[in-house]
Amino acid sequence: SHLHTIHPLAFRAAPQLKSVMLTDNDLSTLPVRVFSPLTMVEEIYLDGNQLEIIGPDMFEGLSGLLVLGLSRNKIRNLPSDMFDGLTNLFLLNLGRNNIKKLAPTMFHSLTKLKRLRIYHNELEVLEAGIFDRLVNLEALNLQHNQIKTIPPRVFWSLGNLRELTMSSNRLEGVPHKSFYNMPKLKKFTIYSNPLLSLPEELMGHMPYITQFYLYDTHLTTVPGNLFANMSGLQDLSFHLNDWLRYLPPDLFCCLPNLKKLSLRNNSLQDLHPNLFSMLTTLETLYLHNNKLKTLPDSIFQKLTLLVTIDLKNNNLNTLPGDIFLSNTALKALTLSGNPWDCSCTIRGFARWI
Ligand SMILES: *[C@@H]1O[C@H](CO)[C@@H](O)[C@H](O)[C@H]1NC(C)=O
Ligand SMILES: *[C@@H]1O[C@H](CO)[C@@H](O)[C@H](O)[C@H]1NC(C)=O
Protein backbone atom coordinates (compact mmCIF):
# COMPACT_ATOMS: atom_id res chain seq x y z
CA SER A 1 0.00 0.00 0.00
CA HIS A 2 3.02 2.37 -0.07
CA LEU A 3 2.47 3.26 3.59
CA HIS A 4 5.48 5.17 4.86
CA THR A 5 4.31 6.12 8.32
CA ILE A 6 2.03 4.73 10.95
CA HIS A 7 0.36 7.01 13.43
CA PRO A 8 1.73 6.45 16.96
CA LEU A 9 -1.79 5.72 18.22
CA ALA A 10 -2.89 3.70 15.19
CA PHE A 11 -3.62 0.55 17.18
CA ARG A 12 -5.09 2.13 20.31
CA ALA A 13 -8.66 1.46 19.24
CA ALA A 14 -8.22 -2.18 18.35
CA PRO A 15 -6.69 -4.01 21.32
CA GLN A 16 -8.33 -7.25 20.27
CA LEU A 17 -6.37 -7.51 16.98
CA LYS A 18 -4.72 -10.88 16.48
CA SER A 19 -2.94 -10.39 13.21
CA VAL A 20 -1.19 -7.33 11.79
CA MET A 21 0.07 -7.48 8.24
CA LEU A 22 2.10 -4.52 7.06
CA THR A 23 4.06 -6.50 4.50
CA ASP A 24 5.41 -4.76 1.37
CA ASN A 25 4.98 -1.13 2.34
CA ASP A 26 7.54 1.68 2.54
CA LEU A 27 7.93 1.90 6.29
CA SER A 28 11.35 3.10 7.33
CA THR A 29 10.59 3.71 10.99
CA LEU A 30 7.99 2.64 13.47
CA PRO A 31 6.68 4.87 16.27
CA VAL A 32 7.89 3.94 19.75
CA ARG A 33 5.90 1.02 21.16
CA VAL A 34 3.26 1.33 18.44
CA PHE A 35 2.16 -2.29 18.93
CA SER A 36 1.96 -2.19 22.72
CA PRO A 37 -1.88 -1.86 22.90
CA LEU A 38 -2.15 -5.19 21.05
CA THR A 39 -1.99 -7.44 24.05
CA MET A 40 -3.69 -10.30 22.19
CA VAL A 41 -1.70 -10.12 18.98
CA GLU A 42 -0.42 -13.41 17.58
CA GLU A 43 1.14 -12.39 14.28
CA ILE A 44 3.03 -9.30 13.16
CA TYR A 45 4.33 -9.17 9.61
CA LEU A 46 6.65 -6.30 8.71
CA ASP A 47 8.46 -8.08 5.87
CA GLY A 48 9.37 -6.12 2.75
CA ASN A 49 9.73 -2.61 4.18
CA GLN A 50 12.65 -0.20 4.58
CA LEU A 51 13.23 -0.66 8.29
CA GLU A 52 16.79 -0.01 9.44
CA ILE A 53 16.38 0.40 13.16
CA ILE A 54 13.82 -1.09 15.47
CA GLY A 55 13.46 0.24 19.01
CA PRO A 56 14.42 -2.17 21.80
CA ASP A 57 10.93 -2.14 23.35
CA MET A 58 8.97 -2.47 20.09
CA PHE A 59 7.65 -5.95 20.94
CA GLU A 60 7.78 -5.67 24.73
CA GLY A 61 4.90 -7.30 26.53
CA LEU A 62 3.54 -9.08 23.44
CA SER A 63 3.90 -12.44 25.10
CA GLY A 64 1.16 -14.03 22.98
CA LEU A 65 3.07 -13.37 19.74
CA LEU A 66 3.53 -16.52 17.67
CA VAL A 67 4.89 -15.18 14.39
CA LEU A 68 7.17 -12.22 13.75
CA GLY A 69 8.21 -11.41 10.20
CA LEU A 70 10.99 -8.87 9.71
CA SER A 71 12.49 -10.21 6.50
CA ARG A 72 13.40 -8.07 3.47
CA ASN A 73 14.21 -4.88 5.36
CA LYS A 74 17.48 -3.01 5.92
CA ILE A 75 18.09 -4.00 9.51
CA ARG A 76 21.76 -3.85 10.55
CA ASN A 77 21.58 -4.23 14.29
CA LEU A 78 19.08 -5.69 16.64
CA PRO A 79 19.05 -4.69 20.33
CA SER A 80 20.10 -7.70 22.36
CA ASP A 81 16.92 -7.75 24.46
CA MET A 82 14.53 -7.12 21.60
CA PHE A 83 12.90 -10.55 21.72
CA ASP A 84 12.95 -10.95 25.51
CA GLY A 85 9.61 -12.12 26.81
CA LEU A 86 8.36 -13.50 23.45
CA THR A 87 8.15 -16.87 25.08
CA ASN A 88 5.47 -18.20 22.73
CA LEU A 89 7.05 -17.20 19.44
CA PHE A 90 7.33 -20.08 17.01
CA LEU A 91 8.44 -18.35 13.80
CA LEU A 92 11.00 -15.56 13.59
CA ASN A 93 12.04 -14.43 10.13
CA LEU A 94 15.05 -12.11 9.89
CA GLY A 95 16.07 -13.18 6.37
CA ARG A 96 17.31 -10.73 3.73
CA ASN A 97 18.49 -7.90 5.93
CA ASN A 98 21.96 -6.44 6.58
CA ILE A 99 22.51 -7.97 9.99
CA LYS A 100 26.21 -8.26 10.83
CA LYS A 101 26.06 -9.36 14.44
CA LEU A 102 23.69 -11.04 16.83
CA ALA A 103 24.20 -10.89 20.58
CA PRO A 104 24.78 -14.28 22.23
CA THR A 105 21.67 -13.92 24.41
CA MET A 106 19.44 -12.58 21.63
CA PHE A 107 17.24 -15.68 21.33
CA HIS A 108 17.33 -16.87 24.94
CA SER A 109 13.64 -16.25 25.66
CA LEU A 110 12.45 -18.08 22.59
CA THR A 111 12.17 -21.55 24.03
CA LYS A 112 9.15 -22.46 21.87
CA LEU A 113 10.67 -21.26 18.61
CA LYS A 114 10.35 -23.75 15.74
CA ARG A 115 11.68 -21.75 12.80
CA LEU A 116 14.49 -19.25 12.82
CA ARG A 117 15.40 -17.72 9.49
CA ILE A 118 18.55 -15.60 9.27
CA TYR A 119 19.49 -16.34 5.63
CA HIS A 120 20.87 -13.63 3.28
CA ASN A 121 22.40 -11.35 5.88
CA GLU A 122 25.98 -10.28 6.60
CA LEU A 123 26.63 -12.36 9.67
CA GLU A 124 30.34 -13.01 10.15
CA VAL A 125 30.30 -14.96 13.38
CA LEU A 126 27.93 -17.04 15.41
CA GLU A 127 28.40 -16.38 19.11
CA ALA A 128 28.91 -19.36 21.40
CA GLY A 129 25.69 -20.30 23.14
CA ILE A 130 23.44 -18.29 20.82
CA PHE A 131 21.09 -21.22 20.08
CA ASP A 132 21.39 -22.95 23.46
CA ARG A 133 17.81 -22.42 24.63
CA LEU A 134 16.14 -23.24 21.32
CA VAL A 135 15.39 -26.81 22.24
CA ASN A 136 12.23 -26.93 20.11
CA LEU A 137 13.77 -25.49 16.97
CA GLU A 138 12.95 -27.46 13.80
CA ALA A 139 14.41 -25.24 11.09
CA LEU A 140 17.47 -23.01 11.20
CA ASN A 141 18.36 -21.16 8.00
CA LEU A 142 21.78 -19.50 7.90
CA GLN A 143 22.60 -19.71 4.19
CA HIS A 144 24.07 -16.76 2.28
CA ASN A 145 25.89 -15.03 5.10
CA GLN A 146 29.60 -14.32 5.65
CA ILE A 147 30.10 -16.80 8.45
CA LYS A 148 33.77 -17.76 8.68
CA THR A 149 33.86 -19.87 11.80
CA ILE A 150 31.41 -21.57 14.07
CA PRO A 151 32.10 -22.18 17.75
CA PRO A 152 32.30 -25.77 18.99
CA ARG A 153 28.95 -27.29 20.02
CA VAL A 154 26.95 -24.27 18.85
CA PHE A 155 24.17 -26.56 17.55
CA TRP A 156 24.28 -29.13 20.32
CA SER A 157 21.01 -28.12 21.99
CA LEU A 158 19.05 -28.45 18.78
CA GLY A 159 17.95 -32.05 19.14
CA ASN A 160 14.67 -31.42 17.29
CA LEU A 161 16.17 -29.85 14.21
CA ARG A 162 14.77 -31.10 10.86
CA GLU A 163 16.42 -28.54 8.63
CA LEU A 164 19.81 -26.83 8.87
CA THR A 165 20.97 -24.75 5.91
CA MET A 166 24.40 -23.14 5.94
CA SER A 167 25.38 -23.16 2.28
CA SER A 168 27.06 -20.10 0.73
CA ASN A 169 29.01 -18.86 3.71
CA ARG A 170 32.77 -18.45 4.16
CA LEU A 171 33.52 -21.50 6.27
CA GLU A 172 37.00 -22.91 5.76
CA GLY A 173 36.51 -25.53 8.43
CA VAL A 174 34.08 -26.67 11.11
CA PRO A 175 34.82 -27.95 14.62
CA HIS A 176 34.92 -31.63 15.47
CA LYS A 177 31.45 -33.15 16.18
CA SER A 178 29.63 -29.98 15.06
CA PHE A 179 26.62 -31.86 13.70
CA TYR A 180 26.11 -34.35 16.49
CA ASN A 181 22.81 -34.75 18.34
CA MET A 182 20.50 -33.95 15.43
CA PRO A 183 18.90 -37.34 14.86
CA LYS A 184 15.77 -35.87 13.20
CA LEU A 185 17.60 -33.89 10.55
CA LYS A 186 16.06 -34.29 7.08
CA LYS A 187 17.64 -31.44 5.17
CA PHE A 188 21.20 -30.28 5.67
CA THR A 189 23.22 -28.00 3.36
CA ILE A 190 26.83 -26.85 3.67
CA TYR A 191 27.83 -26.58 -0.02
CA SER A 192 29.44 -23.46 -1.51
CA ASN A 193 31.76 -22.84 1.39
CA PRO A 194 35.54 -22.60 0.85
CA LEU A 195 36.08 -25.63 3.09
CA LEU A 196 39.71 -26.72 3.19
CA SER A 197 39.31 -29.77 5.37
CA LEU A 198 36.77 -31.52 7.54
CA PRO A 199 37.48 -33.15 10.91
CA GLU A 200 37.23 -36.84 11.76
CA GLU A 201 33.87 -37.32 13.50
CA LEU A 202 31.69 -34.57 12.15
CA MET A 203 28.23 -35.99 11.53
CA GLY A 204 26.19 -37.67 14.25
CA HIS A 205 23.42 -40.13 13.38
CA MET A 206 21.12 -38.54 10.81
CA PRO A 207 19.23 -41.47 9.34
CA TYR A 208 16.46 -39.41 7.72
CA ILE A 209 18.68 -37.53 5.31
CA THR A 210 18.13 -39.03 1.87
CA GLN A 211 19.86 -36.45 -0.27
CA PHE A 212 23.14 -34.64 0.37
CA TYR A 213 25.14 -32.21 -1.76
CA LEU A 214 28.75 -31.32 -1.09
CA TYR A 215 30.05 -29.14 -3.90
CA ASP A 216 31.90 -25.92 -4.60
CA THR A 217 34.42 -26.36 -1.76
CA HIS A 218 38.23 -26.34 -1.61
CA LEU A 219 38.47 -29.83 -0.17
CA THR A 220 41.37 -31.97 -1.39
CA THR A 221 40.12 -35.03 0.47
CA VAL A 222 37.71 -35.90 3.30
CA PRO A 223 37.83 -38.21 6.35
CA GLY A 224 36.89 -41.82 5.59
CA ASN A 225 33.98 -41.76 8.02
CA LEU A 226 32.37 -38.55 6.74
CA PHE A 227 29.18 -40.23 5.50
CA ALA A 228 29.23 -43.18 7.91
CA ASN A 229 26.30 -41.84 9.97
CA MET A 230 24.20 -40.81 6.97
CA SER A 231 22.84 -44.30 6.49
CA GLY A 232 19.60 -43.25 4.77
CA LEU A 233 21.28 -41.50 1.85
CA GLN A 234 19.85 -42.36 -1.56
CA ASP A 235 21.40 -39.57 -3.56
CA LEU A 236 24.89 -38.24 -2.84
CA SER A 237 26.30 -35.47 -5.01
CA PHE A 238 29.91 -34.99 -4.03
CA HIS A 239 30.92 -33.15 -7.17
CA LEU A 240 32.28 -29.87 -8.58
CA ASN A 241 35.11 -29.70 -6.07
CA ASP A 242 38.03 -28.54 -8.21
CA TRP A 243 40.67 -29.51 -5.70
CA LEU A 244 39.34 -32.93 -4.69
CA ARG A 245 42.03 -35.45 -5.57
CA TYR A 246 41.79 -38.34 -3.17
CA LEU A 247 38.95 -40.40 -1.70
CA PRO A 248 39.65 -42.74 1.25
CA PRO A 249 38.83 -46.41 0.48
CA ASP A 250 36.11 -46.73 3.15
CA LEU A 251 34.31 -43.45 2.33
CA PHE A 252 31.19 -45.18 1.02
CA CYS A 253 31.28 -48.02 3.54
CA CYS A 254 27.95 -47.43 5.20
CA LEU A 255 25.42 -46.30 2.63
CA PRO A 256 23.18 -49.33 2.19
CA ASN A 257 20.45 -47.36 0.38
CA LEU A 258 22.48 -45.30 -2.06
CA LYS A 259 21.04 -45.26 -5.58
CA LYS A 260 22.86 -42.34 -7.15
CA LEU A 261 26.43 -41.19 -6.62
CA SER A 262 27.84 -38.23 -8.48
CA LEU A 263 31.60 -37.65 -8.31
CA ARG A 264 31.75 -35.70 -11.57
CA ASN A 265 33.90 -32.58 -12.05
CA ASN A 266 36.35 -33.28 -9.26
CA SER A 267 40.08 -33.80 -9.81
CA LEU A 268 40.17 -37.52 -9.08
CA GLN A 269 43.22 -39.29 -10.50
CA ASP A 270 42.80 -42.82 -9.24
CA LEU A 271 40.31 -44.76 -7.20
CA HIS A 272 40.86 -47.49 -4.63
CA PRO A 273 39.74 -50.97 -5.83
CA ASN A 274 37.31 -51.27 -2.90
CA LEU A 275 35.91 -47.74 -3.03
CA PHE A 276 32.48 -48.82 -4.32
CA SER A 277 32.46 -52.38 -2.97
CA MET A 278 29.69 -51.77 -0.41
CA LEU A 279 27.36 -49.87 -2.73
CA THR A 280 25.29 -52.86 -3.76
CA THR A 281 22.14 -50.82 -4.38
CA LEU A 282 23.78 -48.24 -6.64
CA GLU A 283 22.05 -47.56 -9.98
CA THR A 284 23.77 -44.41 -11.25
CA LEU A 285 27.45 -43.53 -11.00
CA TYR A 286 28.89 -40.33 -12.43
CA LEU A 287 32.67 -40.15 -12.74
CA HIS A 288 32.92 -37.84 -15.74
CA ASN A 289 35.13 -34.75 -15.95
CA ASN A 290 37.87 -36.07 -13.67
CA LYS A 291 41.50 -37.00 -14.29
CA LEU A 292 41.23 -40.76 -14.04
CA LYS A 293 44.14 -42.54 -15.75
CA THR A 294 43.32 -46.15 -15.00
CA LEU A 295 40.67 -48.09 -13.15
CA PRO A 296 41.25 -51.25 -11.07
CA ASP A 297 39.80 -54.51 -12.56
CA SER A 298 37.39 -55.17 -9.74
CA ILE A 299 36.23 -51.64 -8.97
CA PHE A 300 32.65 -52.10 -10.24
CA GLN A 301 32.36 -55.80 -9.37
CA LYS A 302 29.79 -55.52 -6.56
CA LEU A 303 27.55 -53.05 -8.40
CA THR A 304 25.17 -55.59 -9.82
CA LEU A 305 22.25 -53.13 -10.01
CA LEU A 306 24.21 -50.43 -11.80
CA VAL A 307 22.29 -49.08 -14.81
CA THR A 308 24.23 -45.97 -15.79
CA ILE A 309 27.89 -45.09 -15.60
CA ASP A 310 29.54 -42.04 -17.08
CA LEU A 311 33.33 -41.99 -17.58
CA LYS A 312 33.60 -39.31 -20.24
CA ASN A 313 36.33 -36.66 -20.21
CA ASN A 314 38.96 -38.48 -18.17
CA ASN A 315 42.51 -39.57 -19.01
CA LEU A 316 41.79 -43.22 -19.66
CA ASN A 317 44.02 -45.02 -22.20
CA THR A 318 42.53 -48.43 -21.74
CA LEU A 319 40.28 -50.47 -19.46
CA PRO A 320 40.53 -54.06 -18.23
CA GLY A 321 38.53 -56.45 -20.48
CA ASP A 322 36.39 -57.80 -17.65
CA ILE A 323 35.78 -54.54 -15.77
CA PHE A 324 32.00 -54.54 -16.43
CA LEU A 325 31.54 -58.32 -16.42
CA SER A 326 29.34 -58.43 -13.33
CA ASN A 327 27.32 -55.30 -14.15
CA THR A 328 24.55 -57.22 -15.83
CA ALA A 329 21.98 -54.44 -15.37
CA LEU A 330 24.08 -51.89 -17.23
CA LYS A 331 22.17 -49.95 -19.89
CA ALA A 332 24.21 -46.79 -20.48
CA LEU A 333 27.97 -46.39 -20.53
CA THR A 334 29.68 -43.19 -21.70
CA LEU A 335 33.35 -43.36 -22.67
CA SER A 336 33.91 -40.40 -25.00
CA GLY A 337 36.53 -37.71 -24.40
CA ASN A 338 39.27 -40.11 -23.26
CA PRO A 339 42.66 -40.56 -24.97
CA TRP A 340 42.03 -44.21 -25.82
CA ASP A 341 45.17 -46.05 -26.91
CA CYS A 342 44.09 -48.37 -29.68
CA SER A 343 46.99 -50.80 -29.35
CA CYS A 344 46.99 -54.44 -28.18
CA THR A 345 46.34 -53.48 -24.55
CA ILE A 346 42.77 -52.48 -25.31
CA ARG A 347 41.91 -55.71 -27.13
CA GLY A 348 40.15 -57.34 -24.17
CA PHE A 349 37.95 -54.34 -23.60
CA ALA A 350 37.18 -53.93 -27.31
CA ARG A 351 36.05 -57.56 -27.34
CA TRP A 352 33.68 -56.88 -24.41
CA ILE A 353 32.19 -53.95 -26.29
C1 LIG B 1 28.03 -41.38 14.55
O1 LIG B 1 27.10 -40.89 15.48
C2 LIG B 1 27.26 -41.39 16.79
C3 LIG B 1 26.13 -40.84 17.63
O2 LIG B 1 25.68 -39.61 17.22
C4 LIG B 1 28.62 -40.99 17.33
O3 LIG B 1 28.83 -41.53 18.59
C5 LIG B 1 29.70 -41.49 16.38
O4 LIG B 1 30.97 -41.06 16.80
C6 LIG B 1 29.42 -40.95 14.97
N1 LIG B 1 30.42 -41.45 14.03
C7 LIG B 1 31.19 -40.62 13.34
C8 LIG B 1 32.09 -41.29 12.37
O5 LIG B 1 31.18 -39.43 13.47
C1 LIG C 1 32.50 -29.82 -15.61
O1 LIG C 1 33.67 -30.09 -16.35
C2 LIG C 1 33.53 -29.86 -17.75
C3 LIG C 1 34.80 -30.36 -18.42
O2 LIG C 1 35.94 -29.92 -17.77
C4 LIG C 1 33.29 -28.38 -17.97
O3 LIG C 1 33.14 -28.14 -19.35
C5 LIG C 1 32.01 -28.01 -17.25
O4 LIG C 1 31.78 -26.63 -17.37
C6 LIG C 1 32.12 -28.38 -15.77
N1 LIG C 1 30.83 -28.14 -15.15
C7 LIG C 1 30.66 -27.20 -14.24
C8 LIG C 1 29.27 -27.04 -13.77
O5 LIG C 1 31.58 -26.53 -13.79
Side-chain angles (χ1 to χ4, degrees), residues 287-300:
L287 287 166
H288 50 288
N289 302 327
N290 275 287
K291 301 194 166 116
L292 298 170
K293 284 191 173 144
T294 55
L295 287 173
D297 290 29
S298 58
I299 188 156
F300 305 127

Side-chain angles (χ1 to χ4, degrees), residues 224-291:
N225 60 19
L226 181 62
F227 306 120
N229 270 334
M230 303 178 97
S231 55
L233 276 186
Q234 294 175 18
D235 180 351
L236 173 58
S237 295
F238 186 18
H239 56 205
L240 296 158
N241 295 288
D242 287 345
W243 300 7
L244 188 70
R245 294 224 310 263
Y246 174 74
L247 300 178
D250 48 354
L251 184 60
F252 306 120
C253 65
C254 314
L255 302 174
N257 301 298
L258 200 70
K259 288 205 161 89
K260 181 175 169 196
L261 174 62
S262 176
L263 294 168
R264 74 183 175 91
N265 288 69
N266 290 311
S267 290
L268 301 172
Q269 296 190 1
D270 37 36
L271 302 176
H272 190 277
N274 293 329
L275 183 64
F276 304 129
S277 63
M278 303 299 279
L279 297 179
T280 52
T281 54
L282 200 68
E283 293 173 6
T284 303
L285 177 59
Y286 291 149
L287 287 166
H288 50 288
N289 302 327
N290 275 287
K291 301 194 166 116

Side-chain angles (χ1 to χ4, degrees), residues 26-205:
D26 296 325
L27 300 171
S28 54
T29 54
L30 294 170
V32 177
R33 297 178 57 92
V34 67
F35 301 118
S36 63
L38 304 180
T39 52
M40 294 166 79
V41 75
E42 294 180 353
E43 307 176 324
I44 298 180
Y45 294 95
L46 292 161
D47 312 80
N49 280 286
Q50 309 287 326
L51 298 170
E52 277 179 46
I53 295 167
I54 299 181
D57 44 7
M58 185 55 65
F59 307 111
E60 203 179 295
L62 306 183
S63 61
L65 200 63
L66 303 175
V67 178
L68 178 56
L70 291 167
S71 67
R72 296 184 287 118
N73 277 286
K74 295 179 171 167
I75 303 168
R76 281 173 191 279
N77 279 306
L78 288 170
S80 66
D81 54 356
M82 168 147 191
F83 306 124
D84 284 7
L86 301 185
T87 49
N88 286 298
L89 203 66
F90 83 78
L91 168 62
L92 176 58
N93 193 348
L94 300 170
R96 294 189 192 270
N97 278 288
N98 305 321
I99 301 169
K100 274 209 160 88
K101 252 188 133 167
L102 289 169
T105 53
M106 185 99 226
F107 304 125
H108 277 190
S109 284
L110 310 182
T111 51
K112 293 209 179 134
L113 201 67
K114 292 207 160 154
R115 301 198 173 140
L116 177 56
R117 309 214 190 283
I118 322 177
Y119 59 91
H120 276 277
N121 273 287
E122 289 164 24
L123 278 183
E124 285 171 13
V125 286
L126 289 180
E127 303 283 346
I130 188 166
F131 304 127
D132 278 6
R133 309 267 176 91
L134 304 183
V135 293
N136 289 301
L137 201 68
E138 293 181 4
L140 176 58
N141 304 115
L142 294 166
Q143 74 271 26
H144 286 278
N145 275 286
Q146 306 288 326
I147 302 169
K148 264 188 145 162
T149 55
I150 55 176
R153 299 188 286 270
V154 71
F155 304 122
W156 272 28
S157 302
L158 309 180
N160 280 303
L161 215 58
R162 266 79 163 164
E163 180 175 321
L164 173 61
T165 52
M166 8 195 347
S167 47
S168 302
N169 273 288
R170 290 169 61 198
L171 293 170
E172 292 185 355
V174 279
H176 186 65
K177 302 190 180 179
S178 283
F179 308 115
Y180 272 33
N181 191 30
M182 302 180 188
K184 297 179 183 168
L185 211 57
K186 274 190 165 164
K187 178 173 180 181
F188 175 36
T189 69
I190 194 168
Y191 58 78
S192 296
N193 274 288
L195 294 165
L196 290 169
S197 67
L198 293 173
E200 293 279 338
E201 300 194 301
L202 181 62
M203 314 284 191
H205 280 296

